[in-house]
């Protein structure tokens, strides 16, 4: 081989790696900055990048199928200013909590405790339910009848109802009303974690007759409660049917803003009481929405509203919170 031909071969060999990898700065495009010496990609890495880019440009639809599609992240669920909220959303199939916030914070139950009153009654009474008791159980669950709850509460031993159900289900943050107010079933202390356990108990462990009656009656909840308040806030207005719900409200007076029926419930306020080292606020208004959504989700949203809050504004806040929660996990 002549000396000139040898020199030409060596020159080609010197530039061959660059030609094969296509790694000059101009090939990367004007928008990409020059590669620094430190951390410079290897020839193999650049070859893979060039191959991927070429595949996207030349194969179009085929290349797009190979790229995993990322779902947009769910918007964070924000609790309105001035509201204290504890919530839990549980996947019924897996038993996993898929959304939660302050699940161990304790609230006064308001009418949510009526689930425990009904379940306790049914588990202590076998056989056919007497008509007079059915006339209490059904409106208590369907229309949140306070007089019916009071009658069953007294007959069941008041706070003993809560203690029995706490032992049976394994509730650790649920306790009877303060000793000074034993007849005030709405002052039972609850948490989102415990109420989620109550629903899991009904779905998975309770006898079919108990489960079917309690949840079946709650599926037929009426829009207007017996005290005249509209109880279709939260889950009923935020989530598509089917659902079975038990709502709770306290601290809004005896007269609803839009009266459905004659209101006769009284509103009681006793301030904040410490129970077992965990304070429960009995002064500020509470508004809760809880239930089973379809056969898939348990949702519990417990809220303490700002002092002096109106029922209408509180209902709007809880409905938006329930809707945001549902959309974040649906």
């Amino acid at each position: 081989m002549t000396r000139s031909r040898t020199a030409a071969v060596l020159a080609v060999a010197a530039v061959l790696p660059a030609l094969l990898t296509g790694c000059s700065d101009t090939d990367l495009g004007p928008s990409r900055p020059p590669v620094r010496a430190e951390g410079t990609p290897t020839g193999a890495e650049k070859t893979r990048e060039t191959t991927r880019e070429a595949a996207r440009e030349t194969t179009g639809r085929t290349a797009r199928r190979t790229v995993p599609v990322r779902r947009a992240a769910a918007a964070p669920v924000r609790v309105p200013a001035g509201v204290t909220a504890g919530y839990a959303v549980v996947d019924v199939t897996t038993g996993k909590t898929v959304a939660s916030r302050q699940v161990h914070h304790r609230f006064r139950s308001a009418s949510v405790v009526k689930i425990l009153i009904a379940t306790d009654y049914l588990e202590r009474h076998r056989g056919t339910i007497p008509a007079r008791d059915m006339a209490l159980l059904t409106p208590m669950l369907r229309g949140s009848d306070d007089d019916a709850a009071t009658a069953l509460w007294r007959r069941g031993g008041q706070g003993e109802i809560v203690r029995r159900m706490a032992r049976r289900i394994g509730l650790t943050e649920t306790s009877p009303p303060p000793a000074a107010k034993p007849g005030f079933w709405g002052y039972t202390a609850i948490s989102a974690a415990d109420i989620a356990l109550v629903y899991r108990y009904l779905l998975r462990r309770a006898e079919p007759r108990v489960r079917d009656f309690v949840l079946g009656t709650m599926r037929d909840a009426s829009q207007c409660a017996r005290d005249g308040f509209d109880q279709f806030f939260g889950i009923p207005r935020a989530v598509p049917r089917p659902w079975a719900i038990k709502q709770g409200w306290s601290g809004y007076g005896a007269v609803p803003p839009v009266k459905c029926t004659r209101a006769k419930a009284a509103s009681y306020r006793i301030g904040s009481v410490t129970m077992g080292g965990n304070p429960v606020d009995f002064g500020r208004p509470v508004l809760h929405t809880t239930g089973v959504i379809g056969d898939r989700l348990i949702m519990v949203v417990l809220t303490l509203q700002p002092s002096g809050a109106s029922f209408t504004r509180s209902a709007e806040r809880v409905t938006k919170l329930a809707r945001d929660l549902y959309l974040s996990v649906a």
Side-chain angles (χ1 to χ4, degrees):
M1 182 180 294
T2 65
R3 182 175 299 176
S4 60
R5 180 178 297 177
T6 301
V9 170
L10 291 175
V12 171
V15 300
L16 186 58
L19 293 173
L20 291 175
T21 58
C23 64
S24 69
D25 290 341
T26 56
D27 288 340
L28 297 176
S31 62
R32 186 173 298 190
V35 178
R36 298 194 305 268
E38 183 180 357
T40 300
T42 65
E45 289 170 339
K46 292 183 178 180
T47 301
R48 286 194 294 271
E49 180 181 346
T50 303
T51 302
R52 284 195 297 269
E53 291 177 352
R56 284 195 292 269
E57 293 173 359
T58 59
T59 62
R61 192 174 302 168
T62 302
R64 283 194 294 272
R65 283 200 297 267
T66 65
V67 179
V69 178
R70 289 180 179 272
R71 293 180 60 188
V77 176
R78 295 182 180 179
V79 174
V83 174
T84 301
Y87 60 70
V89 182
V90 178
D91 185 312
V92 173
T93 304
T94 64
K96 292 183 178 179
T97 300
V98 294
S100 64
R101 175 189 174 91
Q102 294 196 98
V103 294
H104 302 297
H105 187 92
R106 302 214 297 176
F107 300 79
R108 72 183 186 275
S109 67
S111 290
V112 175
V113 73
K114 291 169 183 173
I115 306 173
L116 297 181
I117 296 173
T119 303
D120 177 75
Y121 172 92
L122 293 168
E123 293 190 334
R124 289 186 298 108
H125 294 80
R126 303 280 175 172
T128 304
I129 302 173
R132 67 186 182 93
D133 292 351
M134 186 68 78
L136 297 174
L137 289 164
T138 299
M140 181 182 71
L141 292 177
R142 186 174 293 164
S144 206
D145 189 307
D146 291 343
D147 291 340
T150 298
L152 292 168
W153 177 257
R154 290 171 177 167
R155 201 187 305 173
Q158 301 187 130
E160 286 304 311
I161 294 173
V162 177
R163 295 186 185 93
R164 283 192 296 266
M165 294 309 299
R167 287 193 299 268
R168 178 167 301 209
I169 300 175
L171 309 178
T172 58
E173 291 146 358
T174 299
S175 56
K181 301 287 183 181
F184 286 44
W185 41 261
Y187 286 170
T188 297
I190 61 173
S191 69
D194 272 5
I195 297 304
L197 280 177
V198 171
Y199 280 110
R200 289 189 66 184
Y201 175 82
L202 287 169
L203 289 166
R204 299 298 187 194
R205 294 168 51 197
E207 295 178 40
R209 67 180 185 86
V210 176
R211 177 194 65 223
D212 294 346
F213 181 85
V214 174
L215 294 180
T217 306
M218 288 162 50
R219 284 190 190 97
D220 293 330
S222 57
Q223 179 172 346
C224 295
R226 284 295 182 94
D227 64 2
F229 282 82
D230 184 341
Q231 63 173 346
F232 273 18
F233 56 83
I235 293 172
R237 282 208 167 91
V239 175
R241 287 181 183 267
W243 33 251
I245 57 163
K246 189 69 208 76
Q247 313 283 71
W249 59 94
S250 175
Y252 298 98
V255 180
V258 179
K259 189 162 57 175
C260 297
T261 60
R262 184 176 180 180
K264 33 179 193 176
S267 175
Y268 303 98
R269 295 170 183 258
I270 62 173
S272 182
V273 175
T274 299
M275 304 170 69
N278 193 340
V280 179
D281 192 322
F282 294 95
R284 285 165 57 189
V286 296
L287 201 70
H288 310 319
T289 183
T290 77
V292 178
I293 301 169
D295 57 358
R296 183 173 156 252
L297 295 175
I298 293 167
M299 181 181 288
V300 179
V301 180
L302 310 180
T303 71
L304 192 64
Q305 299 289 322
S307 296
S310 71
F311 181 85
T312 300
R313 186 71 185 95
S314 298
E316 291 172 354
R317 284 190 285 258
V318 171
T319 297
K320 185 179 186 306
L321 182 55
R323 181 182 297 116
D324 290 347
L325 257 180
Y326 179 74
L327 292 176
S328 75
V329 301

